[in-house]
Amino acid sequence: MNKNGNIGVTSENIFPIIKKFLYSDHEIFLRELVSNAVDATQKLKTLASVGEFKGELGDLTVRIKFDENTLTISDRGIGMTAEEIDKYINQIAFSGAEEFVKKYKNDTAAIIGHFGLGFYSSFMVSKKVEIVTKSYQEGAQAMKWSCDGTPTYTMEECEKEDRGTDIILYIDDENKNDFLNEQKISGLLTKYCRFLPIPIAFGKKKEWKDGQYVDTDEDNIINDTTPAWVRKPSELKDEDYKKFYQDLYPMSEEPLFWIHLNVDYPFHLTGILYFPRIKNNIDLQRNKIQLYCNQVFVTDSVEGIVPEFLTLLHGVIDSPDIPLNVSRSYLQSDQNVKKISSHITKKVADRLEEIFKTDRKQFEEKWDYLKLFIQYGMLTDEKFYDRASKFALFKDVEDKYYTLEEYKTLIKDNQTDKDGTLVYLYTTNKDEQYSYIQAAKDKGYSVLVMNGQLDVHAIGQFEQKLEKTRFVRVDSDTIDRLIAKEEANQVSLSEEQREALQEIFKSQMPKLEKAEFMVTLEALGAQANPVVLTQSEYMRRMREMSAMQPGMAFYGEMPDSYNLVLNTDHALVQDILAGEEAACSEKLQPIQADMKGWKARQADLREAQNKKKADEITEAEKEDMTNTNQKITGLREEINQILDEYAASNKKVSQLIDLALLSNGMLKGEALSNFIKRSVEMIH
């Protein structure tokens, strides 16, 4: 039977579209053709198993070979009769091709994925395609079909000894370098076909002989037909799981543990998901899950297909319910995929809870690696938060671990402030914040370690979820104010003394880039440190969050805000104040007396102006107020100059400031050198 005809597509422009719009995806033609060959082979195996094919199966290997013009994919599967070629190749099996082509011309994957078009992806890279095929049915006639990328084709009888199908691609000139290239073909087969269930041979295995690689007689089988995820968990040892992980991710550290997925209802799903070791830098670890459909590779870009936090896991998910050839947007809205996604989340939570309950010691040992993953899940998935709150852990500075509930019980008696709020103290750096941690421990408080990439976000979530709860870093205030048990002791100094102390210390503060300092006074008790440097919890937290959230970038531009707290109960601070009064009072008294007079004048003017509307205030009154303000400013500058001269001459002032900076790791370079020099002089 010889036949010439037109392919049954109502639109003439199917080929230009395949050529043009599928260009970016053109490598997947190889996946399509090899998958088809595997399907044809598996169908024959099924027919043999039910007794419909009684012949010898023999060698079922799918073979790929190439020469300088052609690439050939051969199988020994069921083959096709002339009628089947007509049905499956000539009459592309969909209606309304024209509308279909128009609708999907920008969606390459949808065109290829539509039934019947997998084979036609071969025209993306070929100027001519031939099919030489012989059906498994007894007495079948071998057929040869040929088409040069136009809607016309030829079909004729031919000779073929064996059953099965050869697809011969005459690669076009622009694609020869890519697809008639041993390395490239090998790479694509490894990418798309390395776990297909039928052996796939590409060339022969090589061995080193006489200074070069030469072919042996043994087939080079590129795939593992029974990868770990299709085997029963009972057949696999830990070593098998670890070996499979190394196959998927050579050079990676050993995984923490894994979950073997095996679901039959309400959908089919197999796979192995591994927990990698991640301490920081989420982005490097993302998108390592490979998605398969019946052992055919689909994608390793799984965002939107699995929940966001699961993109941190590594491994394989395989489901026949995941469509093989559709766009990501389609996958993301597909109901099956959504069910699979929530099921995997549940399985992951189950596995983590099981390990926590059965082997808490192991769970704690691995917590530092698991923490980032679990926090990410809790922050992005409400259901996962509810499950994970049972096994999420806090770690304290003594390296002890507690569940959320255990830790609350531990601290509730001692760390509840006067308003009934439970205060969680934390450190982001045990060494840099050592003195603050020590002050907290001296009070019997517990301090958590919160130094992870997502901790600042996790803290915000806990404050929302846990009742009457506040998290504060140990260096964000003085110890008595971190957890205020009662009203703070009052500072018993006059206004002049307060202003004098603040100016003395402010004048000697270093000018640091992106840092602002305020000087405040507190009565902290004679035993507490004379000077403490604290940093606003709110502003620092905003800055840390801004580093990860583009919309908050303006916080990142703002300077760090620090409080230099002077302890007015400490002998050294009292000594500096007494020294100032002895050295400066003679010069300051007349200026301060003058200042009092002008301040009284300022108060009278304000009171008079407050009784009038803005338009009733005369120019003379406005001028009087301006002159008074200027006079007060001038007198303040005179006072500050006298105090600044005293401060500069008193080495204790700079020494106390530098000690506070040093305890925060902020004393560097020249300032550190000056501090050491001054310390030596003072010891002398």
Side-chain angles (χ1 to χ4, degrees), residues 205-258:
K205 285 210 164 142
K206 296 181 187 304
E207 67 178 18
W208 188 257
K209 209 171 187 179
D210 302 330
Q212 60 180 359
Y213 280 108
V214 292
D215 286 351
T216 63
D217 293 333
E218 192 186 343
D219 282 337
N220 175 35
I221 303 293
I222 58 96
N223 57 326
D224 173 0
T225 56
T226 53
W229 83 83
V230 303
R231 293 161 65 192
K232 290 191 179 80
S234 57
E235 293 175 15
L236 297 165
K237 298 187 173 70
D238 284 1
E239 284 66 42
D240 298 316
Y241 285 108
K242 288 175 188 173
K243 182 187 177 304
F244 183 57
Y245 186 75
Q246 285 305 318
D247 289 345
L248 290 172
Y249 315 105
M251 315 297 290
S252 287
E253 274 190 275
E254 217 174 74
L256 296 169
F257 34 73
W258 46 85

Side-chain angles (χ1 to χ4, degrees), residues 543-589:
R543 275 181 66 107
E544 286 172 8
M545 287 172 83
S546 75
M548 291 184 72
Q549 284 177 249
M552 299 176 67
F554 67 96
Y555 281 109
E557 297 307 308
M558 293 173 79
D560 278 320
S561 173
Y562 294 95
N563 244 349
L564 188 79
V565 185
L566 306 180
N567 177 9
T568 56
D569 290 340
H570 197 281
L572 277 170
V573 175
Q574 291 171 351
D575 181 52
I576 287 167
L577 185 60
E580 174 272 318
E581 286 171 344
C584 307
S585 60
E586 203 176 314
K587 294 180 203 164
L588 287 176
Q589 272 171 353

Side-chain angles (χ1 to χ4, degrees), residues 631-648:
K631 193 69 187 168
I632 289 170
T633 302
L635 290 169
R636 167 56 56 211
E637 283 170 3
E638 283 182 51
I639 291 169
N640 285 353
Q641 197 175 345
I642 293 163
L643 292 170
D644 294 356
E645 284 169 11
Y646 165 73

Side-chain angles (χ1 to χ4, degrees), residues 246-413:
Q246 285 305 318
D247 289 345
L248 290 172
Y249 315 105
M251 315 297 290
S252 287
E253 274 190 275
E254 217 174 74
L256 296 169
F257 34 73
W258 46 85
I259 300 170
H260 197 134
L261 300 162
N262 202 341
V263 184
D264 285 327
Y265 181 82
F267 41 76
H268 289 285
L269 174 74
T270 52
I272 300 170
L273 292 177
Y274 292 91
F275 288 81
R277 294 171 184 267
I278 7 177
K279 270 204 159 171
N280 50 30
N281 205 336
I282 285 176
D283 294 326
L284 286 179
Q285 298 296 337
R286 266 206 176 121
N287 288 332
K288 299 281 185 74
I289 294 178
Q290 298 176 8
L291 209 56
Y292 287 78
C293 171
N294 289 329
Q295 294 175 239
V296 182
F297 176 78
V298 180
T299 181
D300 57 4
S301 178
V302 294
E303 277 177 288
I305 297 165
V306 302
E308 195 180 347
F309 74 100
L310 291 181
T311 61
L312 293 181
L313 291 180
H314 296 177
V316 167
I317 297 169
D318 187 340
S319 173
D321 298 315
I322 291 173
L324 178 59
N325 284 318
V326 286
S327 62
R328 291 181 46 69
S329 59
Y330 179 88
L331 277 177
Q332 286 166 9
S333 60
D334 183 74
Q335 287 311 307
N336 267 334
V337 174
K338 283 185 176 163
K339 283 181 197 153
I340 287 169
S341 174
S342 60
H343 184 81
I344 294 168
T345 303
K346 182 181 176 303
K347 281 284 186 194
V348 167
D350 287 347
R351 175 77 172 125
L352 288 167
E353 195 168 352
E354 177 200 345
I355 295 166
F356 173 70
K357 283 179 173 169
T358 56
D359 192 349
R360 178 157 175 174
K361 187 169 180 294
Q362 184 204 172
F363 192 84
E364 288 182 0
E365 282 167 5
K366 292 174 176 175
W367 173 252
D368 287 353
Y369 295 106
L370 278 175
K371 175 181 165 182
L372 192 65
F373 168 79
I374 290 173
Q375 278 184 344
Y376 195 11
M378 292 172 84
L379 287 163
T380 55
D381 189 311
E382 197 65 35
K383 281 185 183 163
F384 188 77
Y385 177 92
D386 295 338
R387 292 289 302 276
S389 55
K390 298 186 191 81
F391 52 76
L393 298 179
F394 285 132
K395 180 170 90 166
D396 71 6
V397 290
E398 314 286 342
D399 291 339
K400 287 187 188 144
Y401 294 89
Y402 305 89
T403 63
L404 275 57
E405 200 52 46
E406 288 166 355
Y407 195 71
K408 183 181 174 184
T409 306
L410 176 79
I411 65 169
K412 71 174 192 297
D413 292 338

Side-chain angles (χ1 to χ4, degrees), residues 14-31:
I14 190 77
F15 286 109
I17 279 175
I18 283 172
K19 285 273 189 194
K20 183 179 175 191
F21 291 108
L22 305 189
Y23 195 77
S24 61
D25 255 357
H26 59 350
E27 65 179 37
I28 65 169
F29 81 90
L30 194 56
R31 177 187 79 180

Side-chain angles (χ1 to χ4, degrees), residues 173-186:
D173 293 343
E174 62 191 279
N175 285 295
K176 274 186 176 176
N177 285 346
D178 270 348
F179 299 114
L180 297 177
N181 169 322
E182 185 174 5
Q183 215 173 344
K184 177 77 173 182
I185 298 168
S186 180

Side-chain angles (χ1 to χ4, degrees), residues 432 436 475 533-535 562 659-667:
E432 286 179 12
Y436 299 92
D475 61 346
L533 196 65
T534 66
Q535 192 180 5
Y562 294 95
L659 280 168
L661 290 169
L662 190 65
S663 73
N664 266 49
M666 292 169 68
L667 196 65

